Amino acid sequence: MDIIEAINTRKSIRGFKSDPVSKDVLTRILESACKAPSVMNTQPSEFIVVTGDVLNRLKAAIVDKLNKKKPMHPDHEVVSWSNDSIYRNRQIELAKKIFELMDIPREDKKKRAA
């Protein structure tokens, strides 16, 4: 597969399965990730793979923090579009349409978060 084919056939899926990923697949992904370009040749990536009970505890802790609205304190700040950005406006309009198609009213914050 060449780069153009890879770009044209890629897709984003945000509905995740609970099936475990094999060690072979993880190894291949991490080997490829190590070869990815980085900003100004800084090689900032670090990878940690967790499975089993550690993964389950981590997921539960993240969900608990989100439900309690506790700040996450990430190692880096997530950069977002400014409120007056055309991209932010597109993001909001798309979200409104998606929630409308899913019959989720704007005031139903619990369903929107889910």
Side-chain angles (χ1 to χ4, degrees), residues 75-108:
D75 291 339
H76 65 280
E77 292 297 319
V78 176
V79 178
S80 184
W81 305 114
S82 64
N83 287 340
D84 61 346
S85 165
I86 186 172
Y87 304 110
R88 175 76 174 142
N89 293 334
R90 286 179 186 171
Q91 181 183 32
I92 291 169
E93 291 305 313
L94 179 59
K96 287 179 183 177
K97 289 176 184 176
I98 290 171
F99 291 137
E100 181 182 327
L101 289 170
M102 296 172 70
D103 292 322
I104 299 174
R106 175 155 178 74
E107 59 275 1
D108 192 338

Side-chain angles (χ1 to χ4, degrees), residues 41-56:
N41 204 28
T42 56
Q43 285 80 29
S45 301
E46 294 181 21
F47 306 100
I48 299 171
V49 178
V50 294
T51 61
D53 191 47
V54 173
L55 176 59
N56 292 333

Side-chain angles (χ1 to χ4, degrees), residues 65 70-77:
K65 271 191 161 189
K70 291 183 178 178
M72 289 292 181
H73 304 294
D75 291 339
H76 65 280
E77 292 297 319

